[in-house]
């Protein structure tokens, strides 16, 4: 009986095997391959601020691309620290580093405005299907760079304004000064305000609306003392004289700011020091151990449990990911020349409500 049952079963298996071998099957059509390369300034990753937030955007975009099969095209995401040689090598080699394929379209993301001119040779070598995105710029910056570099509609800009949060901070300063006088009999002042930046304005044009909002909201006589701790030669890592790192310099500035507070009641400092922010936080830790201290606002900062330290965080991470997800589904040159977000979900702060 078993033998009679086995013969039909073997015949059935043979039929199934033959049905699977009915000639060559059509090849699965692959989606076109795109690549996004994000260029960071030297020494800025690990700043617990702007650069690290952008790195979160790189990871977010990568995870979205890997998990989303609905997009018309695939996206490979990479990053490098800025170097003319490394950027030029990427420009000249369109092969994907992940799969055996050539990228049909590529996007070079420059995280600092000065990179558009510092790496003009590499940008001039981009293929006709390649594009570039400048961060922290305005419409005029994009137009000027596009004309100079000859990229036309293939050069774009992305920015986030901190104006809304800065207006809130101006109200916060007024409240602090008023409460100190009424409740403690202490005379504090916001004149002058110390504003410390990583780069000198002759090297980097700041488009965050911080200075402009301070000028609009405060009394016309209020002085805003702007200082920078690096320049083109220091590259955001060292002071211009190469005597100190920006972290060391920021620490010293924080110590001096404490003296200004104790001697003259100068109660507020705004900082945007990139990797130097860590040095400033070290000084705040020291100042807090000594007692009363001034108020600090960190631009593109992150939460740190230190007294009288507030921050404004612009989420370039999600802004970049959202921009690239739209870019990949548009034709070459199809994105708008300039995209500016005016707060909302892209800009948050921990400034107390007044």
């Amino acid at each position: 009986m078993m033998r009679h049952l086995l013969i039909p079963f073997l015949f059935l298996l043979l039929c199934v095997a033959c049905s699977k071998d009915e000639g060559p099957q059509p090849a699965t059509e692959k989606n076109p391959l795109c690549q996004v390369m994000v260029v960071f300034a030297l020494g800025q990753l690990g700043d617990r601020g702007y650069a690290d937030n952008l790195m979160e955007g790189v990871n977010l975009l990568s995870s979205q691309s890997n998990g989303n099969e609905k997009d018309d095209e695939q996206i490979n995401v990479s990053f490098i620290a800025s170097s003319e040689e490394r950027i030029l090598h990427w420009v000249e080699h369109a092969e994907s580093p992940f799969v055996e394929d050539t990228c049909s379209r590529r996007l070079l993301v420059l995280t600092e405005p000065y990179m558009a001119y510092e790496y003009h040779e590499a940008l001039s070598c981009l293929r006709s299907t390649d594009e570039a995105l400048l961060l922290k710029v305005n419409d005029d910056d994009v137009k000027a760079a596009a004309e100079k570099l000859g990229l036309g509609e293939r050069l774009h800009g992305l920015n986030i304004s901190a104006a809304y949060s800065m207006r809130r901070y101006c109200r916060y300063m007024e409240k602090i000064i008023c409460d100190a006088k009424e409740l403690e009999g202490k005379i504090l002042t916001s004149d002058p305000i110390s504003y410390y930046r990583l780069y000198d304005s002759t090297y980097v044009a700041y488009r965050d609306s911080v200075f402009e909002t301070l000028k609009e909201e405060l009394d016309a006589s209020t002085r805003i003392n702007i200082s920078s701790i690096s320049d083109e030669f220091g590259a955001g890592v060292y002071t211009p004289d190469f005597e100190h790192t920006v972290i060391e310099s920021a620490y010293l500035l924080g110590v001096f700011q404490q003296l200004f507070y104790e001697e003259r009641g100068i109660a507020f400092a705004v900082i945007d020091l990139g990797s130097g922010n860590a040095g400033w936080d070290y000084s705040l830790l020291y100042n807090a151990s000594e007692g009363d201290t001034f108020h600090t606002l960190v631009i593109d900062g992150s939460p740190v449990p230190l007294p009288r330290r507030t921050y404004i965080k612009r989420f370039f991470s999600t802004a970049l990911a959202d921009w690239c997800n739209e870019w990949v589904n548009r034709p070459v040159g199809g994105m708008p020349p300039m995209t500016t977000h005016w707060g909302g979900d892209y800009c948050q702060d921990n400034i107390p409500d007044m």
Side-chain angles (χ1 to χ4, degrees), residues 9-245:
F9 179 70
L10 292 175
F11 178 75
L12 178 62
L13 288 178
L14 181 62
C15 291
V16 171
C18 291
S19 68
K20 291 182 180 180
D21 190 25
E22 295 177 349
Q25 300 295 316
T28 302
E29 185 176 348
K30 295 191 299 183
N31 291 334
L33 187 63
C34 300
Q35 186 180 51
V36 174
M37 175 61 76
V38 182
V39 183
F40 289 94
L42 289 172
Q44 294 308 302
L45 281 172
D47 65 352
R48 295 181 296 180
Y50 170 68
D52 284 1
N53 182 247
L54 264 177
M55 191 64 203
E56 293 175 12
V58 171
N59 295 331
L60 176 62
L61 183 59
S62 180
S63 63
Q64 289 176 345
S65 178
N66 291 334
N68 186 2
E69 298 179 355
K70 295 181 180 180
D71 282 345
D72 295 334
E73 301 181 272
Q74 306 175 68
I75 306 178
N76 289 156
V77 189
S78 302
F79 68 94
I80 56 175
S82 60
S83 160
E84 179 79 27
E85 183 178 352
R86 296 181 69 185
I87 296 172
L88 192 57
H89 180 271
W90 177 83
V91 168
E92 294 175 344
H93 295 80
E95 304 83 8
S96 168
F98 306 106
V99 296
E100 294 184 2
D101 198 358
T102 298
C103 299
S104 59
R105 293 176 58 195
R106 296 185 301 168
L107 177 71
L108 185 65
V109 180
L110 303 178
T111 60
E112 293 291 347
Y114 68 83
M115 293 178 179
Y117 300 101
E118 186 163 319
Y119 306 124
H120 61 89
E121 180 181 350
L123 288 167
S124 66
C125 295
L126 289 172
R127 302 176 309 170
S128 60
T129 55
D130 296 337
E131 298 172 79
L133 175 65
L134 309 180
L135 304 187
K136 302 197 296 185
V137 293
N138 63 18
D139 188 61
D140 290 339
D141 297 326
V142 175
K143 289 178 180 177
E147 182 177 353
K148 185 175 181 62
L149 299 169
L151 292 177
E153 296 180 347
R154 294 186 293 124
L155 185 67
H156 315 279
L158 174 63
N159 197 17
I160 302 172
S161 171
Y164 176 76
S165 292
M166 283 305 305
R167 291 191 185 96
R168 297 185 65 242
Y169 193 72
C170 290
R171 304 288 81 77
Y172 172 71
M173 288 191 290
E174 292 175 357
K175 178 67 172 173
I176 292 298
I177 293 172
C178 182
D179 286 352
K181 184 177 181 180
E182 293 182 358
L183 303 179
E184 305 175 40
K186 183 184 295 185
I187 303 300
L188 301 180
T189 181
S190 59
D191 183 20
I193 291 179
S194 300
Y195 183 10
Y196 300 104
R197 291 170 167 172
L198 180 59
Y199 299 109
D200 188 89
S201 58
T202 59
Y203 183 49
V204 172
Y206 284 80
R207 306 303 191 192
D208 49 22
S209 301
V210 172
F211 177 79
E212 291 80 3
T213 305
L214 286 172
K215 293 292 289 184
E216 290 174 4
E217 296 293 321
L218 300 180
D219 188 273
S221 63
T222 301
R223 294 163 293 170
I224 304 173
N225 293 342
I226 300 178
S227 303
S228 60
I229 63 174
S230 187
D231 62 7
E232 179 179 4
F233 302 102
V237 181
Y238 294 95
T239 55
D241 57 10
F242 285 85
E243 291 293 323
H244 302 282
T245 66

Side-chain angles (χ1 to χ4, degrees), residues 315-329:
F315 285 86
F316 276 95
S317 53
T318 50
L320 176 63
D322 291 348
W323 196 97
C324 290
N325 282 321
E326 185 177 354
W327 165 79
V328 76
N329 288 307

